Every structure is written in C-alpha cells, then in structure tokens.
C-alpha cells in the first residue's frame, strides 16, 4: 500500500451542506477503491492564485489515504466529473 494525498478545491459559491456532501463523496470514492483514509485536513476558504470559472476563492481540502497503486487513476477519473470541484490533484507521498 502506498500513501497518497488528494487535494480538492471546492467552489466557494455553494452552501456548507453541499460542500460537506462533495467532500463526503470524495471520501467515499477513496474507500470504494480500497483506500483507507488516515486524515482529512480542511484549510478553509483561500484566495485562488488565478481566477478559475470566474471565481477568485475556493475551499481547500486535503485527504490523506493509503491505497494500492491503481486507486488514484480510478479516483481521479471520477473526481474530474464532480460538480463544484474546481481543481483536484492526487500525489504520492514519500516515506522520508
């Protein structure tokens, strides 16, 4: 099992309940493909480096998980089409 981190930027134009639902769906995707979530880090509302879809702010979330090497591809393909997700990125964490 490898250690991964899923970074998700969620639209700031939606309500708190919708934002929570988006993150819950991301966590469910990780678990669906055999991942074990170790930590969910909520950074809150931050200013984006550049305007995306006419938005200047977004909510940042970091989900750390352990999974097999095939899981990130499957998770990314589903997060890509989720509503209210502005940006996402999965990176493998080194053991260092």
């Amino acid at each position: 099992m490898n250690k991964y981190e899923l970074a998700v930027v969620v639209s700031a134009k939606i309500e708190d309940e919708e934002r929570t639902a988006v993150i819950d769906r991301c966590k469910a995707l990780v678990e669906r493909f055999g991942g074990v979530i170790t930590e969910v880090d909520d950074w809150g509302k931050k200013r984006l480096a550049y305007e995306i879809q006419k938005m200047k702010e977004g909510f940042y979330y970091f989900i750390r998980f352990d999974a097999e090497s095939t899981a990130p591809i499957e998770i990314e393909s589903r997060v890509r089409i989720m509503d209210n997700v502005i940006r996402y990125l999965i990176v493998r964490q080194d053991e260092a």
Side-chain angles (χ1 to χ4, degrees), residues 62-80:
F62 296 90
I63 301 170
R64 291 182 190 86
F65 62 96
D66 299 333
E68 296 298 325
S69 60
T70 58
I73 297 165
E74 297 293 335
I75 295 166
E76 275 190 352
S77 69
R78 275 128 181 118
V79 172
R80 176 179 291 123

Side-chain angles (χ1 to χ4, degrees), residues 22-88:
V22 169
I23 297 305
D24 288 342
R25 279 187 281 162
C26 289
K27 292 192 286 189
L29 279 174
V30 169
E31 292 170 351
R32 177 177 161 192
F33 292 105
V36 177
I37 296 173
T38 56
E39 183 181 356
V40 177
D41 198 6
D42 177 2
W43 279 23
K45 189 184 227 181
K46 300 280 183 189
R47 184 169 176 80
L48 300 173
Y50 53 90
E51 193 172 295
I52 303 171
Q53 300 172 0
K54 298 185 180 180
M55 287 183 260
K56 296 183 180 188
E57 294 180 320
F59 285 88
Y60 284 71
Y61 293 90
F62 296 90
I63 301 170
R64 291 182 190 86
F65 62 96
D66 299 333
E68 296 298 325
S69 60
T70 58
I73 297 165
E74 297 293 335
I75 295 166
E76 275 190 352
S77 69
R78 275 128 181 118
V79 172
R80 176 179 291 123
I81 59 174
M82 288 177 67
D83 292 334
N84 300 316
V85 173
I86 301 171
R87 289 286 188 267
Y88 64 91

